[in-house]
Amino acid sequence: MARLLTIEEALERILSHVRPAGAELVQTEESAGRVLAAPVVALTDLPPFPSSAMDGFAVRAAETPGAFPVAVRIAAGRPADRMLRPGEAMGIATGGALPDGADAVVPIERAVDRDDEVEIEEAASAGDNVRPRGGDVRAGDEVLPAGTRVSASQIGAIAAAGLAQVSCAIRPRAVVLTTGTELRPAGSTLGPGEIYESNGAMLAAVLRSAGALVERLDPVADDETSHRAALERGLRADVLVTTGGVSVGPHDLVRAIEAELGVEEVFWGVAVRPGKPLAFGVRDRTLVFGLPGNPVSSLVGAELFVRPAVLALQGATLVHSRWDRGTLVAPLRRNAARDELARARSRDGEAGVELVPVSGQESHMIVRAAGADALVLVPRGDGEVGAGTSVRYLRLA
Ligand code: AMP
Ligand code: MG
């Protein structure tokens, strides 16, 4: 086998084959998790008018302190029908429109309200407790750039800027196919040599959380006919993710049948542990991932490579998983040839995040891995990475 690609090299090759799909209009309300296909531009100044930041009294700052007749009481959504004349004050609620003539709001707590008169004991300054028009954003300015993945705060901004709909990337269609004669669905009774199929639901969850629409096919046994039919079907999607059958054994059929079906293999094998025998290829616009069957290998491969590809298909600006830094609490042995992603649990320490490797780092140990919330990068090399070392880690969603 040729030199294995590093994680970065493999990801670069995958992303170079991504052809982003088109866009569609999405109700703002439904846009969480979607990627903006065009910038969102404000339809109005925000705030649209100078407004009060407090419940209080609108005044001319230069006239304070003093006692003022209360001319009008302004509620949010009910502006005054005239300007503030010299010598008077107006009651005003938070969010109420500041009347013309006023330049400050004195909070209720700093005023003595006597129904038709208010006494203000301290001098106010112009601008006090006033939210200027356009202070957050101006009409026509960009609220969010294209490529943004919409989160809760961003939905708020889109709605505040007046947009009922936004242009979003079409969600990629993904098919998940698990392979292995030994696999049985959870809920059934296991026969001799059988195990519960667990990668399918896990990979579907990764894909959905990256924005894909997921179809699951029934697991296929390790025979050519069932592989062929299922793979042919999966190749109609934007992304086909298989697990198992991608190694070197006599029952590993995925790559050979995919080649028959016209998939061009871009690479096979990445210098990562777990997850080395990972295959990536393309047929037309379809990205084809062959993940290993061991559940932890499959999870790591999906987090490192499939998630970024699905985000890239949607034109997301941030597709690379974010590597954070933390301190390793117990030593981890290095692998001479491959970068390792060790499963660890993170905790808050005195000097930042501490990472405690979980016991049971083998690639079939999905239950042990489920106790982890971080994948710690152990760079290939000799010896070990000692306790107290600063390491990079990927937070598991
Ligand atoms: P393979 O890559 O097909 O050689 O499978 C490697 C190991 O992963 C074997 O022990 C399989 O039984 C197991 N395995 C394969 N696919 C799955 C799956 N979908 N769910 C759980 N374990 C699996
Ligand atoms: Mg297998």
Side-chain angles (χ1 to χ4, degrees):
M1 194 192 255
R3 181 184 71 85
L4 294 179
L5 298 180
T6 64
I7 297 172
E8 292 74 23
E9 288 167 343
L11 191 53
E12 206 173 293
R13 294 213 188 168
I14 292 167
L15 295 179
S16 75
H17 285 89
V18 168
R19 306 281 172 268
E24 62 186 354
L25 282 177
V26 175
Q27 297 297 318
T28 299
E29 179 94 32
E30 306 297 324
S31 66
R34 301 292 297 266
V35 178
L36 296 177
V40 170
V41 171
L43 296 180
T44 175
D45 288 340
L46 217 59
F49 48 86
S51 66
S52 177
M54 303 285 275
D55 292 322
F57 294 89
V59 295
R60 294 166 186 260
E63 295 180 345
T64 58
F68 304 88
V70 179
V72 175
R73 297 209 178 236
I74 301 163
R78 295 263 176 272
D81 55 5
R82 65 171 179 79
M83 70 178 295
L84 181 78
R85 294 181 194 127
E88 60 182 24
M90 288 184 185
I92 190 164
T94 304
L98 194 75
D100 287 341
D103 60 3
V105 171
V106 174
I108 277 183
E109 296 83 349
R110 300 225 208 98
V112 183
D113 188 354
R114 298 205 183 85
D115 284 346
D116 49 6
E117 194 192 72
V118 61
E119 202 179 312
I120 291 163
E121 285 175 358
E122 285 166 48
S125 304
D128 281 358
N129 303 304
V130 174
R131 301 164 172 168
R133 173 177 179 162
D136 194 2
V137 74
R138 292 257 171 216
D141 282 356
E142 185 172 280
V143 174
L144 295 166
T148 303
R149 190 144 194 238
V150 178
S151 65
S153 67
Q154 291 160 338
I155 287 197
I158 294 166
L163 289 99
Q165 296 181 319
V166 278
S167 172
C168 294
I170 289 173
R171 296 178 69 179
R173 288 169 310 113
V175 162
V176 173
L177 174 65
T178 58
T179 73
T181 305
E182 73 279 24
L183 305 176
R184 285 292 163 271
S188 59
T189 305
L190 293 179
E194 295 178 343
I195 61 167
Y196 289 122
E197 194 288 297
S198 61
N199 292 345
M202 178 177 75
L203 295 171
V206 172
L207 285 158
R208 284 195 187 106
S209 72
L213 292 166
V214 181
E215 184 190 353
R216 296 274 310 277
L217 303 184
D218 289 336
V220 292
D222 295 315
D223 71 75
E224 297 198 7
T225 316
S226 36
H227 269 59
R228 203 169 280 120
L231 289 170
E232 184 58 272
R233 182 150 167 219
L235 284 167
R236 289 185 222 135
D238 301 308
V239 183
L240 168 59
V241 181
T242 63
T243 74
V246 79
S247 198
V248 292
H251 304 289
D252 293 330
L253 305 171
V254 170
R255 296 170 62 222
I257 310 273
E258 282 178 351
E260 263 180 41
L261 295 173
V263 175
E264 281 176 57
E265 191 160 271
V266 176
F267 64 79
W268 177 51
V270 182
V272 60
R273 204 174 95 121
K276 176 173 96 162
L278 183 144
F280 173 71
V282 287
R283 193 183 79 170
D284 304 326
R285 299 176 55 94
T286 305
L287 306 178
V288 186
F289 292 90
L291 302 180
N294 272 311
V296 184
S297 313
S298 174
L299 175 68
V300 168
E303 289 293 347
L304 288 181
F305 303 114
V306 180
R307 182 188 293 281
V310 171
L311 289 169
L313 277 170
Q314 297 166 85
T317 312
L318 292 176
V319 303
H320 289 90
S321 310
R322 205 181 90 212
W323 293 93
D324 289 323
R325 279 209 166 266
T327 305
L328 198 59
V329 166
L332 284 171
R333 177 153 293 283
R334 290 178 193 247
N335 181 283
R338 292 189 268 153
D339 292 336
E340 177 145 0
L341 288 159
R343 277 69 72 204
R345 184 187 279 285
S346 67
R347 67 182 189 203
D348 287 332
E350 296 268 290
V353 174
E354 295 178 347
L355 298 156
V356 187
V358 301
S359 67
Q361 291 281 339
E362 286 167 67
S363 62
H364 64 288
M365 294 183 163
I366 191 66
V367 173
R368 304 297 181 92
D373 61 0
L375 295 175
V376 174
L377 182 69
V378 182
R380 58 189 173 280
D382 298 324
E384 60 177 34
V385 177
T389 309
S390 166
V391 290
R392 296 200 301 153
Y393 73 97
L394 204 64
R395 188 166 286 285
L396 288 169

